[in-house]
Amino acid sequence: DNFYEKIPISLLHHTNGNAIYNTSHPLLERLVGQLEVEAPCPYNSIPYDYRMSQMWVEGTLGIVPKLAPKIMLNEEGENITLSNNTDMFNKWAEIWEEEDPFKY
């Protein structure tokens, strides 16, 4: 199915926001901390459950999420440059990948 093939891996395999999370797990603590860091940037336009999956996919598979061009503009209409966090996400993946916290 052409539609299914276009859906990002991080969306196909994200943990629903209504799920039960292990709030004491160090990976979740890091993911939530990163969400707080990203609050003032365009990534804040992505639902938290999907964004956490994007971080994991970026760390394990190196797939950086693509954002809509209009989201990447500041109030003056200039392009926003986002921080490159792939190395940090990759370190998290190296630590917790064997636990398979996001299944895909």
Side-chain angles (χ1 to χ4, degrees):
D1 182 339
N2 288 338
F3 177 75
Y4 183 81
E5 293 171 4
K6 293 180 182 179
I7 300 173
I9 292 171
S10 52
L11 183 57
L12 287 173
H13 300 284
H14 81 285
T15 302
N16 186 285
N18 295 325
I20 297 173
Y21 291 87
N22 179 354
T23 58
S24 64
H25 195 284
L27 175 60
L28 184 63
E29 292 174 1
R30 284 171 176 76
L31 292 168
V32 170
Q34 183 63 23
L35 291 172
E36 291 172 352
V37 168
E38 294 178 353
C41 83
Y43 282 130
N44 193 35
S45 66
I46 300 168
Y48 74 92
D49 51 344
Y50 179 35
R51 179 65 189 129
M52 290 192 300
S53 181
Q54 287 180 330
M55 290 182 225
W56 185 252
V57 168
E58 185 173 341
T60 56
L61 302 177
I63 301 171
V64 178
K66 296 178 184 172
L67 298 176
K70 286 191 176 187
I71 292 174
M72 295 300 298
L73 300 176
N74 64 17
E75 294 172 358
E76 289 80 36
E78 301 166 338
N79 284 322
I80 297 171
T81 302
L82 297 173
S83 299
N84 182 335
N85 295 309
T86 304
D87 288 340
M88 177 178 65
F89 298 156
N90 185 258
K91 287 177 186 173
W92 298 351
E94 289 173 358
I95 296 169
W96 291 291
E97 190 168 21
E98 288 185 20
E99 294 180 30
D100 202 17
F102 293 89
K103 296 170 179 32
Y104 51 84

XYZ file of all heavy atoms in Angstrom:
853
model
N 0.845 -1.177 0.000
C 0.000 0.000 0.000
C 0.892 1.243 0.000
O 1.731 1.415 0.880
C -0.895 -0.045 1.225
C -1.864 1.100 1.329
O -1.636 2.150 0.711
O -2.853 0.939 2.039
N 0.720 2.120 -0.971
C 1.557 3.317 -1.100
C 1.438 4.240 0.107
O 2.413 4.862 0.515
C 1.206 4.085 -2.368
C 1.676 3.364 -3.614
O 2.576 2.532 -3.538
N 1.067 3.662 -4.738
N 0.243 4.371 0.666
C 0.052 5.253 1.813
C 0.865 4.756 3.008
O 1.569 5.511 3.660
C -1.431 5.359 2.173
C -1.683 6.185 3.392
C -1.585 7.568 3.336
C -2.011 5.590 4.601
C -1.813 8.346 4.465
C -2.235 6.349 5.732
C -2.137 7.725 5.663
N 0.765 3.484 3.297
C 1.462 2.890 4.446
C 2.967 3.078 4.329
O 3.638 3.373 5.315
C 1.107 1.400 4.545
C 1.716 0.713 5.739
C 1.129 0.818 6.996
C 2.878 -0.040 5.617
C 1.685 0.190 8.098
C 3.442 -0.679 6.709
C 2.839 -0.555 7.945
O 3.401 -1.173 9.033
N 3.500 2.940 3.143
C 4.934 3.064 2.925
C 5.443 4.482 3.159
O 6.630 4.683 3.395
C 5.293 2.608 1.520
C 5.082 1.123 1.311
C 5.238 0.698 -0.134
O 5.588 1.536 -0.986
O 4.998 -0.491 -0.412
N 4.576 5.468 3.102
C 4.967 6.866 3.296
C 4.918 7.299 4.765
O 5.384 8.373 5.104
C 4.084 7.782 2.453
C 4.303 7.601 0.967
C 3.411 8.511 0.164
C 3.610 8.263 -1.328
N 2.764 9.105 -2.152
N 4.342 6.469 5.614
C 4.231 6.815 7.032
C 5.594 6.622 7.699
O 6.198 5.566 7.578
C 3.165 5.939 7.728
C 1.796 6.157 7.075
C 3.105 6.262 9.222
C 0.718 5.214 7.577
N 6.094 7.641 8.409
C 7.403 7.520 9.064
C 7.428 6.378 10.082
O 6.436 6.117 10.766
C 7.578 8.866 9.762
C 6.622 9.789 9.098
C 5.485 8.958 8.613
N 8.575 5.726 10.191
C 8.743 4.632 11.145
C 8.406 5.091 12.556
O 7.769 4.377 13.322
C 10.185 4.079 11.083
C 10.419 3.385 9.751
C 10.464 3.123 12.239
C 11.854 2.993 9.513
N 8.815 6.295 12.894
C 8.578 6.790 14.250
C 7.087 6.959 14.539
O 6.670 6.838 15.688
C 9.323 8.100 14.495
O 9.042 9.031 13.479
N 6.280 7.214 13.536
C 4.837 7.319 13.741
C 4.203 5.935 13.806
O 3.317 5.681 14.623
C 4.187 8.151 12.634
C 2.677 8.391 12.763
C 2.334 9.060 14.092
C 2.179 9.244 11.607
N 4.660 5.037 12.970
C 4.110 3.680 12.966
C 4.319 2.976 14.303
O 3.492 2.178 14.731
C 4.761 2.848 11.855
C 4.353 3.161 10.432
C 5.217 2.373 9.461
C 2.879 2.848 10.206
N 5.422 3.263 14.952
C 5.802 2.495 16.134
C 5.920 3.331 17.402
O 6.607 2.925 18.337
C 7.110 1.756 15.861
C 7.003 0.814 14.710
N 6.379 -0.393 14.807
C 7.395 0.932 13.428
C 6.399 -0.997 13.635
N 7.022 -0.211 12.777
N 5.242 4.465 17.452
C 5.321 5.256 18.673
C 4.423 4.657 19.749
O 3.483 3.923 19.459
C 4.965 6.720 18.401
C 3.498 7.017 18.346
N 2.708 6.672 17.269
C 2.678 7.616 19.239
C 1.470 7.051 17.496
N 1.423 7.621 18.680
N 4.747 4.950 20.997
C 3.937 4.515 22.126
C 2.873 5.575 22.349
O 3.183 6.747 22.550
C 4.812 4.356 23.394
O 5.845 3.421 23.099
C 3.992 3.871 24.564
N 1.625 5.163 22.328
C 0.521 6.106 22.458
C 0.628 6.906 23.748
O 1.031 6.381 24.783
C -0.804 5.333 22.413
C -1.994 6.254 22.388
O -2.342 6.832 23.399
N -2.594 6.377 21.226
N 0.244 8.159 23.687
C 0.300 9.038 24.852
C -0.573 8.577 26.000
O -0.379 8.987 27.143
N -1.544 7.730 25.726
C -2.409 7.200 26.778
C -1.851 5.928 27.405
O -2.504 5.326 28.253
C -3.808 6.907 26.217
C -4.501 8.168 25.786
O -4.342 9.208 26.396
N -5.260 8.092 24.717
N -0.681 5.525 26.990
C -0.070 4.295 27.504
C 0.396 4.487 28.944
O 0.458 5.607 29.456
C 1.115 3.897 26.626
N 0.761 3.406 29.558
C 1.347 3.465 30.897
C 2.857 3.499 30.719
O 3.442 2.622 30.086
C 0.924 2.240 31.736
C -0.589 2.257 31.932
C 1.665 2.229 33.067
C -1.139 1.018 32.596
N 3.480 4.530 31.259
C 4.920 4.724 31.127
C 5.609 4.382 32.438
O 5.083 4.647 33.518
C 5.234 6.180 30.766
C 4.819 6.595 29.384
C 3.538 7.060 29.119
C 5.721 6.538 28.332
C 3.161 7.452 27.834
C 5.366 6.925 27.049
C 4.078 7.374 26.815
O 3.725 7.759 25.548
N 6.811 3.834 32.349
C 7.638 3.590 33.520
C 8.351 4.904 33.831
O 9.413 5.196 33.282
C 8.635 2.466 33.244
C 9.541 2.192 34.423
O 9.521 2.909 35.426
N 10.349 1.158 34.308
N 7.765 5.682 34.703
C 8.276 7.038 34.958
C 9.602 7.067 35.700
O 10.212 8.125 35.810
C 7.240 7.871 35.734
O 6.932 7.196 36.971
C 5.970 8.053 34.915
N 10.052 5.926 36.186
C 11.340 5.903 36.879
C 12.470 5.420 35.966
O 13.624 5.379 36.386
C 11.260 5.009 38.122
O 11.012 3.662 37.746
N 12.152 5.078 34.718
C 13.192 4.587 33.808
C 14.078 5.751 33.370
O 13.586 6.809 32.985
C 12.562 3.910 32.588
C 13.545 3.083 31.820
N 14.496 3.641 30.993
C 13.729 1.741 31.785
C 15.226 2.683 30.463
N 14.776 1.514 30.928
N 15.400 5.574 33.406
C 16.308 6.667 33.036
C 16.148 7.139 31.591
O 16.371 8.315 31.312
C 17.702 6.102 33.278
C 17.541 4.689 33.664
C 16.104 4.395 33.867
N 15.755 6.263 30.675
C 15.540 6.715 29.298
C 14.358 7.670 29.235
O 14.450 8.718 28.586
C 15.319 5.535 28.346
C 14.966 5.922 26.904
C 16.063 6.775 26.257
C 14.679 4.684 26.062
N 13.272 7.353 29.909
C 12.117 8.252 29.904
C 12.492 9.594 30.529
O 12.085 10.649 30.041
C 10.924 7.634 30.629
C 9.660 8.484 30.580
C 9.155 8.652 29.148
C 8.571 7.898 31.456
N 13.289 9.563 31.578
C 13.743 10.814 32.197
C 14.515 11.669 31.190
O 14.325 12.881 31.117
C 14.604 10.521 33.421
C 13.819 9.917 34.572
C 14.695 9.490 35.735
O 15.934 9.681 35.685
O 14.136 8.954 36.715
N 15.354 11.051 30.397
C 16.122 11.794 29.388
C 15.219 12.309 28.271
O 15.375 13.437 27.805
C 17.243 10.926 28.841
C 18.397 10.798 29.805
C 19.414 9.773 29.358
N 20.572 9.719 30.226
C 20.602 9.155 31.427
N 19.525 8.603 31.924
N 21.724 9.144 32.139
N 14.292 11.471 27.825
C 13.373 11.903 26.771
C 12.534 13.096 27.229
O 12.386 14.074 26.496
C 12.466 10.744 26.348
C 13.143 9.581 25.620
C 12.190 8.392 25.525
C 13.618 9.995 24.239
N 12.008 13.020 28.432
C 11.196 14.127 28.966
C 12.058 15.368 29.153
O 11.629 16.485 28.846
C 10.503 13.711 30.281
C 9.860 14.908 30.967
C 9.453 12.637 30.003
N 13.283 15.189 29.623
C 14.194 16.327 29.748
C 14.447 16.994 28.404
O 14.475 18.222 28.305
N 14.598 16.191 27.356
C 14.805 16.744 26.015
C 13.559 17.476 25.533
O 13.649 18.518 24.896
C 15.205 15.643 25.027
C 15.505 16.140 23.636
C 16.687 17.091 23.556
O 17.562 17.086 24.425
N 16.720 17.912 22.529
N 12.381 16.946 25.848
C 11.136 17.649 25.493
C 11.100 19.024 26.147
O 10.671 20.003 25.526
C 9.914 16.834 25.932
C 9.650 15.540 25.177
C 8.529 14.757 25.855
C 9.316 15.804 23.718
N 11.562 19.112 27.387
C 11.603 20.404 28.075
C 12.583 21.355 27.394
O 12.298 22.544 27.223
C 11.973 20.199 29.542
C 10.878 19.502 30.327
C 11.299 19.111 31.735
O 12.502 19.228 32.088
O 10.421 18.663 32.483
N 13.742 20.836 26.980
C 14.736 21.649 26.274
C 14.151 22.159 24.957
O 14.381 23.300 24.557
C 16.026 20.831 26.016
C 16.947 21.529 25.035
C 16.745 20.545 27.324
N 13.379 21.323 24.289
C 12.826 21.654 22.970
C 11.554 22.508 23.034
O 11.028 22.899 21.998
C 12.523 20.377 22.194
C 13.760 19.587 21.831
C 13.443 18.301 21.101
O 12.252 17.929 20.976
O 14.397 17.641 20.632
N 11.069 22.803 24.225
C 9.799 23.532 24.352
C 9.744 24.826 23.532
O 8.715 25.102 22.912
C 9.494 23.806 25.823
N 10.813 25.621 23.466
C 10.708 26.861 22.685
C 11.003 26.710 21.192
O 11.032 27.700 20.466
C 11.745 27.775 23.345
C 12.763 26.849 23.921
C 12.025 25.596 24.286
N 11.235 25.498 20.717
C 11.602 25.332 19.309
C 10.490 24.630 18.525
O 9.508 24.175 19.102
C 12.938 24.596 19.189
S 12.837 22.814 19.294
N 10.626 24.535 17.208
C 9.576 23.940 16.373
C 9.200 22.500 16.726
O 8.081 22.079 16.450
C 10.154 24.009 14.957
C 11.081 25.168 14.992
C 11.678 25.137 16.365
N 10.105 21.745 17.343
C 9.748 20.379 17.722
C 8.585 20.356 18.710
O 7.908 19.346 18.863
C 10.941 19.635 18.319
C 11.933 19.140 17.295
C 13.282 19.392 17.431
C 11.514 18.405 16.190
C 14.201 18.928 16.503
C 12.422 17.941 15.250
C 13.763 18.206 15.415
O 14.659 17.745 14.483
N 8.349 21.468 19.388
C 7.246 21.556 20.339
C 5.887 21.438 19.639
O 4.875 21.214 20.289
C 7.326 22.871 21.121
C 6.409 22.866 22.325
O 6.213 21.850 22.973
N 5.834 24.011 22.615
N 5.855 21.559 18.329
C 4.601 21.427 17.584
C 4.214 19.956 17.375
O 3.124 19.662 16.903
C 4.707 22.134 16.230
O 5.659 21.479 15.417
N 5.101 19.043 17.750
C 4.867 17.610 17.576
C 4.377 17.034 18.902
O 4.952 17.320 19.954
C 6.178 16.906 17.138
C 6.664 17.504 15.822
C 5.999 15.405 17.034
C 8.063 17.108 15.440
N 3.320 16.223 18.896
C 2.850 15.607 20.142
C 3.984 14.854 20.845
O 4.829 14.224 20.206
C 1.762 14.628 19.687
C 1.296 15.190 18.374
C 2.514 15.819 17.746
N 3.999 14.942 22.163
C 5.131 14.415 22.927
C 5.389 12.928 22.684
O 6.534 12.498 22.614
C 4.956 14.680 24.426
C 3.933 13.792 25.089
C 4.303 12.590 25.685
C 2.582 14.145 25.106
C 3.366 11.768 26.280
C 1.640 13.327 25.701
C 2.031 12.152 26.284
O 1.108 11.335 26.862
N 4.334 12.127 22.549
C 4.537 10.689 22.375
C 5.207 10.392 21.036
O 6.107 9.557 20.946
C 3.230 9.922 22.524
C 2.088 10.445 21.671
O 2.161 11.587 21.160
O 1.088 9.715 21.515
N 4.802 11.122 20.015
C 5.411 10.954 18.693
C 6.840 11.497 18.694
O 7.754 10.899 18.133
C 4.541 11.640 17.644
C 5.049 11.573 16.224
C 5.722 10.457 15.736
C 4.839 12.628 15.351
C 6.173 10.405 14.428
C 5.286 12.581 14.045
C 5.956 11.469 13.591
O 6.408 11.420 12.295
N 7.052 12.623 19.374
C 8.398 13.216 19.413
C 9.382 12.288 20.117
O 10.530 12.148 19.690
C 8.356 14.590 20.094
C 9.707 15.256 20.193
C 10.288 15.605 18.838
N 11.660 16.040 18.960
C 12.677 15.555 18.242
N 12.467 14.672 17.293
N 13.887 15.989 18.440
N 8.953 11.626 21.183
C 9.863 10.695 21.862
C 10.244 9.540 20.932
O 11.394 9.105 20.920
C 9.234 10.175 23.156
C 9.139 11.235 24.235
S 8.727 10.605 25.887
C 7.137 9.836 25.630
N 9.305 9.082 20.145
C 9.599 8.034 19.169
C 10.571 8.545 18.111
O 11.481 7.827 17.694
C 8.304 7.544 18.517
O 8.566 6.524 17.593
N 10.393 9.797 17.688
C 11.325 10.382 16.716
C 12.744 10.409 17.273
O 13.704 10.130 16.554
C 10.893 11.799 16.345
C 9.684 11.877 15.467
C 9.315 13.313 15.152
O 9.553 14.225 15.951
N 8.742 13.522 13.986
N 12.883 10.774 18.535
C 14.210 10.814 19.149
C 14.838 9.428 19.131
O 16.029 9.277 18.837
C 14.118 11.317 20.590
C 13.777 12.771 20.741
S 13.771 13.192 22.500
C 12.274 14.154 22.610
N 14.038 8.402 19.461
C 14.554 7.037 19.498
C 14.960 6.568 18.100
O 16.022 5.980 17.918
C 13.517 6.103 20.116
C 14.044 4.728 20.294
C 13.704 3.627 19.569
C 15.035 4.302 21.226
N 14.413 2.537 20.004
C 15.238 2.926 21.022
C 15.761 4.947 22.223
C 16.145 2.189 21.774
C 16.658 4.207 22.958
C 16.846 2.847 22.746
N 14.121 6.829 17.114
C 14.426 6.433 15.737
C 15.665 7.170 15.234
O 16.527 6.594 14.573
C 13.207 6.658 14.812
C 13.586 6.541 13.349
C 12.101 5.670 15.152
N 15.790 8.435 15.588
C 16.982 9.189 15.194
C 18.231 8.576 15.819
O 19.271 8.470 15.163
C 16.839 10.654 15.612
C 17.969 11.533 15.143
C 17.740 13.011 15.417
O 16.590 13.439 15.641
O 18.739 13.756 15.389
N 18.139 8.146 17.063
C 19.296 7.557 17.728
C 19.643 6.168 17.236
O 20.810 5.817 17.145
N 18.632 5.364 16.905
C 18.891 3.985 16.508
C 19.095 3.816 15.012
O 19.898 2.992 14.581
C 17.752 3.055 16.954
O 16.517 3.531 16.426
C 17.670 2.974 18.462
N 18.369 4.573 14.216
C 18.438 4.410 12.758
C 19.043 5.616 12.039
O 19.264 5.563 10.832
C 17.033 4.151 12.199
C 16.296 2.928 12.755
C 14.893 2.847 12.172
C 17.072 1.658 12.473
N 19.274 6.708 12.766
C 19.853 7.904 12.146
C 18.887 8.685 11.276
O 19.313 9.527 10.491
N 17.591 8.442 11.430
C 16.585 9.156 10.625
C 16.156 10.411 11.375
O 15.464 10.342 12.391
C 15.367 8.254 10.333
C 15.798 7.008 9.584
C 14.310 9.033 9.553
C 14.702 5.955 9.434
N 16.579 11.562 10.869
C 16.226 12.843 11.470
C 14.847 13.245 10.948
O 14.604 13.196 9.737
C 17.266 13.923 11.117
C 16.888 15.267 11.705
C 18.654 13.490 11.589
N 13.931 13.616 11.847
C 12.589 13.963 11.385
C 12.585 15.201 10.497
O 13.391 16.118 10.683
C 11.806 14.212 12.669
C 12.812 14.419 13.725
C 14.070 13.738 13.284
N 11.680 15.202 9.546
C 11.495 16.355 8.664
C 10.290 17.132 9.151
O 9.227 16.560 9.392
C 11.289 15.895 7.225
C 12.485 15.183 6.654
C 12.226 14.692 5.254
C 13.433 13.904 4.752
N 13.183 13.250 3.488
N 10.474 18.424 9.300
C 9.385 19.291 9.737
C 8.868 20.097 8.562
O 9.609 20.402 7.623
C 9.852 20.230 10.846
C 10.311 19.559 12.131
C 10.847 20.585 13.106
C 9.173 18.778 12.764
N 7.607 20.462 8.644
C 7.002 21.274 7.593
C 7.758 22.597 7.467
O 8.132 23.199 8.484
C 5.538 21.530 7.910
N 8.005 23.059 6.247
C 8.777 24.294 6.054
C 8.234 25.498 6.823
O 9.012 26.273 7.372
C 8.700 24.532 4.543
C 8.467 23.178 3.963
C 7.643 22.433 4.979
N 6.930 25.652 6.923
C 6.377 26.819 7.626
C 6.644 26.768 9.119
O 6.753 27.800 9.763
C 4.877 26.940 7.363
C 4.580 27.429 5.973
C 3.131 27.797 5.815
C 2.928 28.366 4.419
N 1.596 28.896 4.224
N 6.755 25.560 9.676
C 7.067 25.426 11.103
C 8.496 25.880 11.375
O 8.824 26.312 12.470
C 6.858 23.966 11.557
C 5.375 23.621 11.516
C 7.425 23.714 12.942
C 5.073 22.174 11.813
N 9.333 25.818 10.354
C 10.747 26.144 10.507
C 11.045 27.626 10.330
O 12.189 28.019 10.175
C 11.579 25.332 9.509
C 11.525 23.830 9.762
S 12.124 23.386 11.389
C 13.806 23.942 11.294
N 10.013 28.464 10.363
C 10.200 29.909 10.243
C 9.928 30.580 11.582
O 8.998 30.217 12.296
C 9.245 30.483 9.190
C 9.399 29.942 7.768
C 8.317 30.524 6.870
C 10.775 30.239 7.218
N 10.743 31.595 11.899
C 10.479 32.355 13.115
C 9.436 33.444 12.822
O 8.889 33.507 11.711
C 11.774 32.942 13.693
C 12.426 33.962 12.779
O 11.812 34.494 11.852
N 13.694 34.245 13.034
N 9.174 34.287 13.788
C 8.132 35.311 13.629
C 8.454 36.317 12.526
O 7.558 36.949 11.982
C 7.914 36.035 14.962
C 7.327 35.113 16.014
C 7.279 35.746 17.390
O 7.744 36.893 17.553
O 6.796 35.068 18.306
N 9.729 36.468 12.198
C 10.140 37.385 11.131
C 10.172 36.690 9.767
O 10.550 37.293 8.772
C 11.519 37.990 11.434
C 11.521 38.989 12.572
C 11.527 38.302 13.932
O 12.169 37.250 14.081
O 10.858 38.824 14.847
N 9.817 35.411 9.737
C 9.820 34.662 8.485
C 11.174 34.114 8.092
O 11.361 33.669 6.965
N 12.128 34.127 9.013
C 13.468 33.608 8.732
C 13.562 32.149 9.161
O 12.902 31.726 10.114
C 14.515 34.441 9.486
C 14.497 35.906 9.110
C 15.281 36.755 10.092
O 15.476 36.319 11.249
O 15.681 37.852 9.704
N 14.403 31.385 8.473
C 14.577 29.970 8.800
C 15.208 29.796 10.176
O 16.126 30.523 10.551
C 15.450 29.269 7.762
C 14.706 28.984 6.489
O 13.537 28.636 6.518
N 15.376 29.124 5.367
N 14.709 28.805 10.891
C 15.236 28.436 12.207
C 16.183 27.255 12.014
O 15.863 26.303 11.306
C 14.096 28.039 13.155
C 13.160 29.231 13.386
C 14.639 27.500 14.468
C 11.894 28.867 14.130
N 17.337 27.325 12.655
C 18.277 26.209 12.621
C 18.150 25.443 13.930
O 18.260 26.022 15.008
C 19.724 26.720 12.454
O 19.803 27.482 11.256
C 20.704 25.563 12.396
N 17.903 24.155 13.817
C 17.753 23.322 15.009
C 19.082 22.682 15.381
O 19.936 22.446 14.535
C 16.715 22.224 14.745
C 15.301 22.708 14.455
C 14.423 21.542 14.046
C 14.724 23.418 15.665
N 19.243 22.390 16.655
C 20.437 21.698 17.130
C 20.472 20.281 16.577
O 19.432 19.656 16.398
C 20.440 21.631 18.656
O 20.440 22.917 19.205
N 21.655 19.780 16.350
C 21.823 18.403 15.913
C 22.026 17.543 17.161
O 23.048 17.642 17.829
C 23.023 18.280 14.976
C 23.207 16.883 14.446
O 22.781 15.912 15.059
N 23.850 16.771 13.305
N 21.038 16.713 17.472
C 21.090 15.883 18.673
C 21.291 14.402 18.369
O 21.171 13.575 19.267
C 19.789 16.063 19.471
C 19.647 17.464 19.995
O 20.556 17.994 20.615
N 18.515 18.079 19.731
N 21.606 14.078 17.128
C 21.717 12.678 16.728
C 22.739 11.927 17.573
O 22.479 10.794 18.004
C 22.061 12.559 15.231
O 21.078 13.265 14.470
C 22.104 11.117 14.788
N 23.886 12.515 17.843
C 24.913 11.830 18.642
C 24.413 11.524 20.049
O 24.634 10.431 20.577
C 26.194 12.655 18.714
C 26.953 12.679 17.403
O 26.728 11.784 16.559
O 27.784 13.587 17.221
N 23.722 12.479 20.656
C 23.186 12.270 22.001
C 22.129 11.162 21.981
O 22.148 10.257 22.821
C 22.569 13.562 22.544
C 21.939 13.406 23.910
S 21.271 14.960 24.571
C 19.965 15.319 23.402
N 21.223 11.211 21.004
C 20.195 10.172 20.903
C 20.824 8.811 20.627
O 20.355 7.792 21.131
C 19.180 10.523 19.814
C 18.404 11.798 20.053
C 17.846 12.481 18.996
C 18.227 12.307 21.326
C 17.127 13.651 19.189
C 17.506 13.485 21.545
C 16.955 14.156 20.471
N 21.911 8.801 19.856
C 22.599 7.546 19.568
C 23.218 6.955 20.836
O 23.191 5.737 21.040
C 23.664 7.759 18.488
C 24.314 6.467 18.076
O 25.430 6.173 18.492
N 23.617 5.688 17.273
N 23.753 7.802 21.703
C 24.311 7.318 22.973
C 23.217 6.685 23.823
O 23.434 5.643 24.458
C 24.995 8.459 23.726
C 26.306 8.874 23.103
C 26.921 10.041 23.829
C 28.161 10.512 23.060
N 28.722 11.730 23.611
N 22.041 7.301 23.846
C 20.917 6.718 24.588
C 20.564 5.356 24.010
O 20.315 4.408 24.748
C 19.696 7.625 24.538
C 19.859 8.971 25.150
C 20.922 9.430 25.896
C 18.940 10.053 25.082
N 20.701 10.727 26.272
C 19.499 11.139 25.797
C 17.705 10.219 24.481
C 18.848 12.356 25.933
C 17.055 11.432 24.616
C 17.620 12.496 25.337
N 20.546 5.277 22.689
C 20.191 4.016 22.027
C 21.210 2.927 22.362
O 20.826 1.782 22.590
C 20.105 4.227 20.516
N 22.473 3.291 22.399
C 23.504 2.300 22.725
C 23.303 1.743 24.129
O 23.552 0.561 24.379
C 24.892 2.925 22.595
C 25.298 3.191 21.159
C 26.598 3.962 21.041
O 27.202 4.336 22.081
O 27.023 4.219 19.901
N 22.826 2.573 25.033
C 22.620 2.143 26.418
C 21.388 1.250 26.546
O 21.425 0.217 27.213
C 22.490 3.367 27.357
C 23.798 4.160 27.374
C 22.090 2.937 28.764
C 23.698 5.522 28.048
N 20.264 1.637 25.897
C 18.989 0.979 26.155
C 18.397 0.182 24.982
O 17.307 -0.354 25.100
C 17.962 2.002 26.633
C 18.301 2.523 27.996
C 18.255 1.828 29.165
C 18.778 3.814 28.325
N 18.678 2.612 30.200
C 18.996 3.851 29.717
C 19.040 4.963 27.576
C 19.466 4.972 30.365
C 19.497 6.086 28.231
C 19.716 6.086 29.621
N 19.114 0.082 23.888
C 18.550 -0.597 22.719
C 18.194 -2.060 23.004
O 17.188 -2.569 22.509
C 19.509 -0.512 21.533
C 18.896 -0.965 20.237
C 19.749 -0.594 19.041
O 20.960 -0.346 19.202
O 19.193 -0.551 17.936
N 18.976 -2.739 23.812
C 18.696 -4.150 24.101
C 17.388 -4.336 24.856
O 16.787 -5.404 24.803
C 19.864 -4.769 24.868
C 21.089 -4.963 23.994
C 22.207 -5.694 24.704
O 21.941 -6.370 25.714
O 23.347 -5.581 24.229
N 16.931 -3.291 25.561
C 15.651 -3.360 26.266
C 14.476 -3.210 25.309
O 13.343 -3.465 25.685
C 15.577 -2.284 27.348
C 16.575 -2.484 28.466
C 16.474 -1.399 29.512
O 15.372 -0.845 29.725
O 17.501 -1.104 30.137
N 14.758 -2.751 24.087
C 13.725 -2.588 23.054
C 12.553 -1.735 23.529
O 11.403 -2.160 23.474
C 13.235 -3.974 22.599
C 12.607 -3.932 21.232
O 12.813 -2.954 20.487
O 11.881 -4.887 20.902
N 12.832 -0.501 23.990
C 11.746 0.321 24.536
C 10.725 0.787 23.483
O 9.574 1.025 23.826
C 12.482 1.520 25.138
C 13.780 1.573 24.403
C 14.104 0.156 24.038
N 11.145 0.912 22.253
C 10.233 1.237 21.140
C 10.382 0.117 20.129
O 11.462 -0.109 19.605
C 10.600 2.578 20.495
C 10.394 3.767 21.382
C 11.394 4.210 22.218
C 9.183 4.444 21.374
C 11.210 5.305 23.039
C 8.986 5.538 22.187
C 10.001 5.978 23.031
N 9.330 -0.567 19.866
C 9.413 -1.731 18.977
C 9.117 -1.341 17.540
O 8.105 -0.730 17.268
C 8.444 -2.798 19.462
C 8.843 -3.312 20.840
C 7.786 -4.181 21.433
C 8.118 -4.730 22.776
N 8.906 -4.005 23.674
N 10.021 -1.692 16.627
C 9.804 -1.496 15.197
C 10.552 -2.528 14.406
O 11.342 -3.254 14.906
C 10.142 -0.093 14.708
C 11.516 0.425 15.096
C 12.652 0.101 14.349
C 11.655 1.225 16.197
C 13.891 0.587 14.707
C 12.905 1.718 16.558
C 14.008 1.397 15.814
O 15.218 1.887 16.165
